[in-house]
Amino acid sequence: MTTTSPATPHELSPGTRAPLDAALTRLRAGAAEWTALPAADRRDLLRRVRVAVADAADDWARIAAASKGLSARHPLAGEEWLAGPYAAIVALDAYADTLDALARGRSPLSGIRTGTAPGGRTVVHTSPLRFSDRILLSGYTTEVWLQPGITSHEARDAAGLGSRHPLRSTGVGLVLGAGNVTSIPFLDVLYELLAEGRVALLKVNPTQDALVPVFERAFAPLIEAGFTAVASGGGDVGAYLTRHPEVDHVHITGSETTFRAIVGSGADRLRVPITAELGGVSPIIVVPGRWSKADLRFQAEHVATMRLHNSGHNCIAGQVVLLSRDWDQREDFERELRRAFARTPKRPVWYPNAASRLEHVRAAYPDAEWFAGGTRAITAGGGEIESTEYFAPVLGVIDLPGTDSAFVDAAIDHANERLTGTLGANVLVDPVTLRELGEGFEASLARLRYGTVAVNAWTAFGFLTPTATWGAFPGGTVDDAPSGIGIVHNALLLDGVERTVVRGPFRPFPRSLTGGRFSVLPKPPWFVTSRTGRAVSEGFARFRIDGRIGPLVATLLRAFGA
C-alpha cells in the first residue's frame, strides 16, 4: 500500500469510480443475506471455495513465484506453495470444522484440550488437531493463551464470534491487502466474513496485481453470492475506498506509515473503525547452553530462515538476535550464522524500495558484513535496527549480559522495552537448559509482550496454523499501534485472545531422538537452506488438497534429501 493521503472522490476518474461504487452497492445488499445465512450453509459455501482454491493452486504458486523473480522450480519457490494455496486450504478446512460444530449446536472447542498458564490464563491447545498434522508438522504445536481471568467454560461459551451470534449485520468491510505474502489478503477476507460478520471488498496491493484473476477464481462462490468482491489499483483507489460511505470497517496489513495516512487527522480523520497488522522489529532470543556442532549449524540456519525467507520482506521476520556475551559458544554460533547467510541461495530483493533501504543500512552500519553479492547483511550492535522495521534482508546481533535465567530476564526486558512493535518473538533454547529453567521459563514467556511467541520455532508457524491467532499483543489503539490492532486467522473463533505460543523441536530427525521434543521431520521444508523445499512444500499442499497417501509418502521421502 502506498502512503498517499486520503483521496477525495473527484481525484478518481468516473470510469475508475463506477465499478468500485457498484461493487460496494452489491456488497451492501449482500450483507443482510450473509447475516441470515445459517452456519451449515456457510460451511457448505466454504467447501465450494475450497474446490475453487484447489483448481487455482498451480497458477497461484506459479504466478506468485514469478512476481518475486523465482522460477516455478526454484527451491525457494516452495515458500509460495506454503504461504499461498496451502495456507488457504488449511484455513478453509479449519473454518469449515468450526462452522460444522456450530451447525450441530456445539462449541468449536468441543473435544479440544484446555489448560492453564501463569497469571491466571486459560490455554487452548489449538494444534495439532488432525492426525495428518501430527505427521506433516511433527513436533510442532500451538496454543492460544486467553486474557487473564477468562475461564475455559467462558471460552467454550464465547467461541464462534460473528458466526455463532449473527444477530445483526455489521455491514461492509474493506480489506487493504498485503503486498508481500499472497495468502494474507485471502485469509483477511475470511476473517471479516466469519469472525466479524462482514461482507468484504478486497483491494489488492499493486505488487500482487498479477494474482487478481487467481483471487477472483478462488473467491468465485463468494463473489457470485454477493459476499465478496475484488478490486485493484494504487494508493488513490485505496484512499477513495477508505472514505467511501458504503464502507463500515477497514482492515489493513501494511506499514505503520500507511496506517497513519489512512487514519488521518482532524477533519480528515477516518470515520469508521480500523484493525491492522503492521509488523515490527521481532527479536530472536538465543538462550545460552551447551550446543553440539550440529545444533549450532541447524539453529543458525533456523535464524537465517527467519530473516531471509521471502527475501526478508516479511512483517513476520526476525530482525534482531539477542545473544549472551557470556556464552562461551557465542563466537561459534555467530560463525555458523554467517555461513548460513552465505550459503542460502541468492534471490532478488524484490519488494518496492527495499534496495534503497539496503543502501541506507550501508550508511548507518558501515561495519556490517554483506553476503550474496551485497544483497543481505548482518550488523553488530543496537541503534536504528531496534526501532525501524527494515522489511529487507538485514539481521542485527546485539550482545547482552548473563546466562541462564539472568540472561532470559535481560533479553525479555530488552525486547519489551527497546524493540519497536509487539507482533512476534522467537526463543531458541536447548532441552537441557529448558529443563533447568523449569517453571520459571513459562513465567518468562508470560512477560513477553508479543502477540505470538515461538519456542524453538519461528513465529511464521503460528501465522500458518489457522487455529492459532495472528496479530499484535493486545492494547493497540488508533493513536498508538506500533504493530496494529486486533487479530486474524483464529479459525476456532476464540474471544478474549492474548497471544499464541508455538513450540517446536530443538533438533530435527534423527537427532530429535537424543532429547527434547521428538520430530520425524528432518530439515523443515520452509528452511531457506533446504534443497528440496519446493518439492516438499508443494507435496504438503497437494496432500492437503486431495488427501492422497501415495504422493505424500514420496514427499516425505524427498524431505530426507534436504
Side-chain angles (χ1 to χ4, degrees):
M1 176 79 180
T2 53
T3 55
T4 58
S5 298
T8 55
H10 70 266
E11 291 178 310
L12 293 181
S13 68
T16 302
R17 292 201 311 268
L20 299 173
D21 295 344
L24 287 168
T25 298
R26 186 156 189 258
L27 288 171
R28 176 64 63 188
E33 295 180 32
W34 176 253
T35 300
L37 200 66
D41 291 343
R42 293 184 179 192
R43 175 202 62 204
D44 294 344
L45 188 55
L46 285 197
R47 288 173 176 168
R48 290 173 54 204
V49 174
R50 189 190 196 281
V51 172
V53 170
D55 180 68
D58 284 273
D59 288 339
W60 187 332
R62 175 181 54 80
I63 293 170
S67 73
K68 300 177 182 183
L70 300 175
S71 70
R73 302 193 68 79
H74 192 286
L76 294 176
E79 296 174 0
E80 303 312 318
W81 278 98
L82 287 182
Y86 175 93
I89 288 289
V90 296
L92 288 164
D93 287 345
Y95 278 124
D97 288 347
T98 289
L99 292 171
D100 188 66
L102 294 173
R104 297 172 187 274
R106 301 198 305 261
S107 168
L109 293 188
S110 295
I112 293 178
R113 185 166 58 96
T114 61
T116 59
R121 294 170 171 89
T122 292
V123 172
V124 181
H125 294 275
T126 56
S127 76
L129 300 178
R130 295 169 177 251
F131 177 75
S132 59
D133 286 337
R134 297 180 190 276
I135 301 301
L136 290 183
L137 305 172
S138 173
Y140 292 86
T141 62
T142 64
E143 56 204 54
V144 172
W145 292 16
L146 303 181
Q147 294 174 18
I150 297 176
T151 67
S152 60
H153 176 79
E154 290 168 336
R156 293 180 190 279
D157 184 61
L161 299 179
S163 287
R164 182 169 189 169
H165 304 292
L167 301 179
R168 60 182 177 83
S169 171
T170 52
V172 178
L174 169 64
V175 173
L176 297 173
N180 59 327
V181 174
T182 64
S183 63
I184 292 176
F186 184 92
L187 299 176
D188 289 350
V189 167
L190 293 185
Y191 200 72
E192 283 289 291
L193 288 163
L194 298 165
E196 306 294 353
R198 283 186 285 269
V199 297
L201 172 62
L202 166 62
K203 207 291 284 184
V204 175
N205 189 290
T207 65
Q208 296 191 9
D209 277 350
L211 282 165
V212 168
V214 171
F215 289 139
E216 290 175 336
R217 286 168 60 190
F219 280 129
L222 293 168
I223 293 172
E224 292 163 5
F227 302 146
T228 299
V230 179
S232 59
D236 55 346
V237 171
Y240 173 70
L241 291 171
T242 62
R243 265 56 183 180
H244 201 287
E246 292 289 358
V247 168
D248 300 295
H249 180 271
V250 175
H251 178 79
I252 176 178
T253 300
S255 70
E256 188 178 11
T257 302
T258 302
F259 176 78
R260 291 279 151 241
I262 292 169
V263 169
S265 60
D268 201 28
R269 184 104 165 159
L270 185 68
R271 64 174 180 80
V272 298
I274 184 170
T275 52
E277 193 268 85
L278 305 177
V281 175
S282 293
I284 305 166
I285 298 172
V286 179
V287 181
R290 176 51 51 189
W291 294 13
S292 69
K293 290 182 179 180
D295 293 337
L296 290 165
R297 180 184 174 106
F298 178 79
Q299 292 299 345
E301 292 184 2
H302 199 177
V303 172
T305 296
M306 296 180 196
R307 178 69 273 186
L308 300 180
H309 181 279
N310 199 22
S311 203
H313 310 315
N314 285 336
C315 59
I316 210 168
Q319 182 163 302
V320 172
V321 179
L322 300 179
L323 284 179
S324 169
R325 67 173 63 109
D326 300 315
W327 185 27
D328 59 4
Q329 292 183 291
R330 178 180 62 83
E331 292 183 2
D332 295 331
F333 179 75
E334 288 188 283
R335 186 180 305 113
E336 287 293 346
L337 185 56
R338 290 192 293 272
R339 289 171 177 169
F341 258 57
R343 68 174 169 266
T344 297
K346 187 178 178 181
R347 64 181 301 171
V349 177
W350 63 271
Y351 205 78
N353 302 317
S356 63
R357 285 193 288 274
L358 290 180
E359 290 306 310
H360 175 81
V361 170
R362 290 182 191 279
Y365 292 91
D367 295 328
E369 191 168 355
W370 291 83
F371 306 85
T375 59
R376 59 185 72 140
I378 297 177
T379 71
E384 182 184 84
I385 201 166
E386 299 175 281
S387 60
T388 301
E389 182 188 16
Y390 283 136
F391 217 67
V394 179
L395 182 72
V397 177
I398 295 175
D399 287 346
L400 297 174
T403 58
D404 303 320
S405 60
F407 171 78
V408 173
D409 288 341
I412 289 174
D413 289 343
H414 192 98
N416 285 342
E417 298 166 11
R418 296 284 298 275
L419 304 185
T420 294
T422 64
L423 187 61
N426 310 274
V427 183
L428 303 179
V429 54
D430 69 271
V432 172
T433 302
L434 184 59
R435 186 166 57 249
E436 291 172 349
L437 290 170
E439 293 182 1
F441 183 76
E442 293 298 304
S444 296
L445 290 188
R447 288 207 304 118
L448 268 171
R449 296 193 298 269
Y450 287 84
T452 298
V453 177
V455 181
N456 292 332
W458 179 24
T459 52
F461 191 91
F463 171 92
L464 201 63
T465 302
T467 48
T469 60
W470 184 249
F473 194 76
T477 68
V478 172
D479 296 312
D480 182 19
S483 282
I485 304 169
I487 58 171
V488 289
H489 305 180
N490 187 27
L492 293 170
L493 300 179
L494 301 171
D495 198 11
V497 168
E498 182 185 68
R499 76 183 82 196
T500 280
V501 176
V502 180
R503 302 179 197 265
F506 183 74
R507 300 182 177 103
F509 186 85
R511 293 190 303 109
S512 59
L513 293 166
T514 64
R517 283 191 164 222
F518 174 73
S519 175
V520 300
L521 280 179
K523 184 181 295 183
W526 54 85
F527 269 38
V528 292
T529 51
S530 174
R531 293 172 297 176
T532 61
R534 193 277 309 165
V536 175
S537 297
E538 179 181 347
F540 279 14
R542 292 196 185 282
F543 173 73
R544 289 310 303 255
I545 288 170
D546 59 30
R548 295 171 59 203
I549 298 298
L552 175 62
V553 171
T555 292
L556 293 175
L557 291 174
R558 286 193 192 100
F560 283 88

